[in-house]
Amino acid sequence: MLLVVISSVSPHPHHLFEYDELSQYVDSHQEEYVQTLRDWVAVESDSSDVLRRPDCHRMMDMTAEKLQAIGGKVELVDIGVQELPDGKTVALPKVVTAQFGSDPSKQTVCVYGHVDVQPAKLEDGWATEPYNLTDINGHLYGRGASDNKAPVLAWIHTVEAYQALSIDLPVNVKFIIEGMEETGSNGLDAMIVAQKGTFFSDVDYIIISDCGWLSRRPALTYGTRGNCYFFAEVEGPKQDLHSGVYGGTVIEPMTDLIGILGGFLTSLSDRIGKILIPGIREAVAPLSDEEWKMYQDIEFDIESFKSKIGVSQLMYSNKVDLLAHRWRYPTVTIHGIEGAFSGPGSKTVIPAKVIAKFSIRQVPNMDPAVVKKQVTDYLYSVFAKRKSPNKLKVTMIIGAKPWLADTKHPLYEAGKAAVKRVFDVEPDLIREGGTIPIAKTFEDVTGKSIIMMPIGGFDDGLHSQNEKMSRYNYIEGTKLFIAYLHEVAHLKKD
Ligand SMILES: CC(C)C[C@H](NC(=O)CN)C(=O)O
């Protein structure tokens, strides 16, 4: 009787939350959840390899089917084609949108995620087949398990649990799932702009679960770095040459390339890792006292961080410096050189054309358009000083912006309450060194607030060998999302 009276006053009273029932449902369905993750990981949806594009298309279809099966209003949105370096085009994977509920009296959240993955091969040093999800001691190993297939599934299972138990969703839930995140979310910006007044018109908040905790303590993420990704191509002779026959006569493209990249950073003997490209460091927002204090209070064990990645020394030896340089200062990384001899054994070759792949993680207040100019100007000027007859071509293929949220926003208070309910601890408030290319666009175009709610573990090996998602994080993470929807239902509309 009492329940009836209260429910007529408030449509979503706190104490009517059937958390235990939902949580038990999740526990009792975990084998199915793992099997679905296995099916998804089996699809080699590597968006960086155009030869895998059919797999990317299949992955989007599977995502749409899964959302349809639980009653979503689903659309596969055509976002056009990708232009390849040789001028050809290839279809971009369609974007999946879905909608569950359209009650105007409820909040509407939009969950963003991606189902494409980074490349992975057994011979890279994986202990198990990367596309065969393998459970070892409760850790589910497979490419894309943590980044980002399990979190996307955990959100889908969240909606499914409410529905299976005939419990009204406390908020309307929308999904936007893409298949090009790992290469810069090609085509997605334009789609968001196009759907601003339609799909996004009733969205109140955007939730992204495409990142990880910093330690064993659950976390909420309030910032990501951006990424400017470059190709620097040096072309010389018309074909590869024998280094004994031609070495000493030809000005080698590889030597030019190493020469121009070699000046990116100061070495250990100077101030460690300082980026030397003019203008880059000057744009960085200064570290405030408040931020310093936040980093100081975060749980982060330097020794276990070192042992996890197998190094004896890091760039910095104190926690605040390490976190600040991981999250809120720019870095440059040289990822690889296409055209270089890289196979096992030895080959005495002079490569005719080499393409360096490097990227700069940028931070507030850097701007990708400015970084593009700074980097290209720098490389062309250093190259000009070499007076080489070889040809240099620099292109920026990704220009993703950094994103930073206000941790005082009620979305974060709701996040803290959900974490407390499921894990019985306060979450760490952290930033992410990686990039969610679309985050800033969501904010700029829709004007909606974003929260990043990770469920991945600190040691999931994203983009690396032996990526994994632990069962614990997958299952408890689903419960976290269930609890979070309940908390968001009680927020005042923005
Ligand atoms: C622009 C990058 C390729 C994006 C990528 N994002 C993630 O890994 C997030 N899942 C990154 O390298 O940061």
Side-chain angles (χ1 to χ4, degrees), residues 114 118 147 181-184 210 227 361 398 434-437 463:
H114 68 92
Q118 289 271 323
D147 183 8
E181 193 271 350
E182 297 291 8
T183 51
D210 185 16
N227 186 273
R361 298 280 172 182
I398 297 175
T435 305
I436 312 290
H463 297 200

